[in-house]
Each structure stands twice: as C-alpha cells, then as structure tokens.
Amino acid sequence: MSSEQTPTPENSGPRPRRLTYAALLAALEGLALVVGGVWILVLGFTGHPDDRQQAVTGGITLVVLALLPLLAARGLLGCRSWSRGPAVITQLMALPVAYNLLQADSMAIPGGIALAVVAVASLVLLVNPETTRALGIRGPGNSGATEK
C-alpha cells in the first residue's frame, strides 16, 4: 500500500498510554476467547460431551470470534483509525455476556465481574479524546478544513 492509501493521524507523536492499554485489554479478551475455544474443542474430542458436534461448533465459533478483538488490538497498537470500530463492537458485545454471567448462580459470577470491568474500562479508554486524536478520528462535521 502506498502512503496515500493509509491515512496517518495528524498527531504522529508517541502512542498514548490509554491507547496501549485499550489494545492490551482487547488482546486479553481475544486471547481468552482463543483459550476458551480450544478448551471446548479439546473437551469435545477427549471428554464425554452430551453432544460432540455442539462442542466442536462452539469451540470453533469462539476461536473465530477471537479474531475481532485480536485484529482490533493489532490495529490500535499501530494507531490505525479503523481499529476503534471493531474494538468498540467487541466491548459492546461483551457487556450482555457479562450481564448473563452475573445472573448465574455459579462460579461464572467472578468471570462476569471481570468481563464487565474490562469491557467498561476499554470503552472508556476507546472514547477518550486523547485516544481519538491519536487515531486521527475527527468528530462529526469536522472535516479538518478550517473555515474562515
């Protein structure tokens, strides 16, 4: 790709810490999805699941879903403006999952608390003005051209 095709942020200074933290949290979520998916796959093949096909399908689904936060994390680390959308979508999808885990009467409650904290913290980091500037994202109606 040429430099014309990849827009660079106006602020080409060092990456803000908030952006790095948001990328790390997205990568952590992606890694957790991969681990969960592989775990379900292994149990589906080696254990005695009620439905082997459902276990395999669930494991593969989790591994594929892990691509969204992992790609978003890579883009955030590279200060790519496109990466904020997938990162925000990942966090918005995590909130209902966290809520459902919190409604369970089991060991899932601590997982729900952790997921909710990570999702809310990531959203706060992603919508922060410093992060937005570092990614080169302008607000609505702000095309970058100054009118006099």
Side-chain angles (χ1 to χ4, degrees):
M1 274 197 211
S2 69
S3 61
E4 292 177 18
Q5 293 173 335
T6 55
T8 57
E10 294 173 9
N11 196 5
S12 61
R15 182 177 54 240
R17 245 186 255 169
R18 289 182 175 103
L19 187 57
T20 303
Y21 294 154
L24 291 175
L25 289 175
L28 177 68
E29 287 175 326
L31 183 62
L33 284 169
V34 168
V35 168
V38 170
W39 179 260
I40 291 173
L41 277 171
V42 168
L43 288 179
F45 286 125
T46 62
H48 301 288
D50 293 335
D51 185 0
R52 186 176 309 270
Q53 182 179 1
Q54 186 176 6
V56 170
T57 302
I60 291 172
T61 301
L62 284 180
V63 171
V64 171
L65 280 175
L67 293 176
L68 184 64
L70 291 173
L71 288 173
R74 184 172 183 208
L76 289 171
L77 285 174
C79 292
R80 306 283 185 213
S81 61
W82 60 263
S83 61
R84 190 173 83 157
V88 169
I89 289 170
T90 299
Q91 305 320 314
L92 292 176
M93 289 186 334
L95 289 173
V97 174
Y99 179 77
N100 283 334
L101 290 174
L102 290 171
Q103 299 302 312
D105 291 330
S106 67
M107 294 297 294
I109 292 173
I113 293 169
L115 183 58
V117 168
V118 168
V120 170
S122 294
L123 283 171
V124 168
L125 292 169
L126 289 167
V127 299
N128 186 284
E130 185 179 341
T131 302
T132 303
R133 276 192 302 277
L135 293 174
I137 299 172
R138 296 187 213 64
N142 188 3
S143 65
T146 57
E147 295 181 19
K148 294 182 181 181

